[in-house]
Amino acid sequence: MSIALFTLGGTISMAGTHRLSGDDLTAAMPGLDELGHAVEIQDIEKIPSADLTAAKLLEVVDAASKAVAAGAAGVVVTQGTDTLEEGAFLADLVWPHPQPLVFTGAMRNPTLAGPDGPANLLAALRVAGSPAARDLGALVVFKEEIHAARWVRKTHSTSTATFASPNTGPIGHVVEDQVRVLTRPLRLDGVQGSAEPATLDKLRVALYTVTMDDDGVLLQGLADTHQGLVVAGYGVGHVPAALAPALGDLAARIPVVLTSRTGAGSVVRNTYHSPGSEADLLQRGLIDGGFLDPYKARVLLRLLLATDEDIPGAFAQYT
């Protein structure tokens, strides 16, 4: 059986002004002959990760699904790391197959000393072809660590160890060329409907990070221009008291999801009760984002809006 490799752009494929193809990437990777699977390469348009869109990523996921239907044991996608955590989570929400869908990339390009792309790609290919990685949905493989897409975060701007899962840690490792899955997180239902790329392109979901002395002026008129809002609140889900009425008014018009800006942990429901607290905001109609970080909450909300699914019910899986 083969492994399908889909290559986008990003640091892993940058060699000065030259952009490396999938053939270039695999040629630079030691151990390919010992992989045990043929690698079927499909080079996608080379797009910087900052310019990737949900619509483009869903096209890649659709192509990956067709590769699995044609007999691939698993799929690897290489892309830039800036939006890799969002791309992997988006894929996880719609990936219906038991075969692994693995995302990887690099922090150091091939022109630098110690490029990490070849090692990351080899580990990702090993995971994609491993029976141990089946039924785990979309995964991110970096530095021989295996992360579940819904937990992983990019945590450092330059370190090759940037990808981490603050709430859980990695779910497995690649050790001496062997895929070792140590824990198997519950596979969630994801999004069942099919989102049309044209519909996604038209949807606008804002992300609002609360800061000290926030007067909320940027929230004015937001329901007239956007179809949804994710709030990254303080700590366990707090905002200044002055913002609470404005957020309640918005929640009466569009879905508003409450998350934490801290990078780890969950918002709570019933610990604090003052104006602007999590209990106050949830009573005003905001949706509990649970353990989802603001970026993944925005991905999920946008996809739910595009498929007309039950938004509070879907977010309830992550609380």
Side-chain angles (χ1 to χ4, degrees):
M1 298 178 72
S2 64
I3 298 171
L5 171 61
F6 293 86
T7 67
L8 291 163
T11 298
I12 193 171
S13 65
M14 291 173 56
T17 59
H18 178 58
R19 295 295 180 265
L20 303 178
S21 67
D23 287 331
D24 295 327
L25 293 176
T26 53
M29 184 186 70
L32 182 62
D33 294 340
E34 302 169 7
L35 189 62
H37 296 275
V39 179
E40 301 290 337
I41 299 170
Q42 296 189 44
D43 290 315
I44 311 298
E45 180 184 0
K46 295 294 186 291
I47 306 172
S49 56
D51 292 329
L52 277 174
T53 65
K56 173 58 71 175
L57 282 165
L58 287 178
E59 290 178 8
V60 175
V61 172
D62 182 63
S65 187
K66 291 175 180 175
V68 165
V75 179
V76 172
V77 178
T78 62
Q79 71 157 87
T81 61
D82 285 347
T83 56
L84 191 148
E85 62 188 276
E86 292 159 284
F89 182 62
L90 174 63
D92 190 57
L93 291 171
V94 299
W95 186 248
H97 307 288
Q99 289 87 344
L101 175 58
V102 183
F103 285 74
T104 194
M107 292 297 291
R108 296 180 64 81
N109 73 59
T111 69
L112 301 176
D116 55 329
N120 288 339
L121 179 55
L122 180 59
L125 289 166
R126 292 195 185 283
V127 172
S130 172
R134 290 173 66 90
D135 295 307
L136 292 174
L139 302 166
V140 171
V141 173
F142 241 78
K143 295 284 288 185
E144 283 78 46
E145 293 182 342
I146 306 167
H147 295 270
R150 73 175 181 269
W151 301 126
V152 72
R153 299 287 305 273
K154 185 175 182 179
T155 63
H156 196 283
S157 62
T158 60
S159 171
T160 57
T162 182
F163 284 98
S165 297
N167 285 312
T168 64
I171 64 171
H173 302 264
V174 179
V175 181
E176 294 183 330
D177 301 334
Q178 299 299 311
V179 175
R180 307 284 296 275
V181 176
L182 304 181
T183 185
R184 305 187 69 85
L186 178 66
R187 184 90 180 264
L188 301 181
D189 293 336
V191 176
Q192 304 303 308
S194 178
E196 294 296 329
T199 302
L200 269 174
D201 284 341
K202 294 177 182 177
L203 282 170
R204 304 181 73 187
V205 174
L207 173 56
Y208 186 83
T209 301
V210 177
T211 57
M212 183 179 288
D213 291 335
D214 199 329
D215 60 7
V217 68
L218 294 176
L219 296 172
Q220 295 175 8
L222 190 141
D224 298 323
T225 58
H226 291 69
Q227 288 75 49
L229 169 66
V230 174
V231 177
Y234 304 136
V236 294
H238 296 168
V239 304
L243 263 63
L247 290 173
D249 291 344
L250 284 170
R253 300 181 60 189
I254 59 175
V256 180
V257 179
L258 179 63
T259 66
S260 173
R261 71 177 196 173
T262 59
S266 174
V267 296
V268 297
R269 300 178 182 177
N270 200 37
T271 300
Y272 300 91
H273 299 273
S274 59
S277 68
E278 81 288 345
D280 176 47
L281 295 173
L282 295 177
Q283 289 175 357
R284 293 176 187 269
L286 275 70
I287 298 166
D288 181 359
F291 277 94
L292 282 181
D293 64 67
Y295 314 112
K296 293 187 181 68
R298 182 181 179 274
V299 169
L300 176 56
L301 179 56
R302 195 159 173 245
L303 196 58
L304 291 168
L305 286 166
T307 53
D308 294 323
E309 292 205 26
D310 173 33
I311 293 173
F315 274 93
Q317 295 186 76
Y318 297 92
T319 59

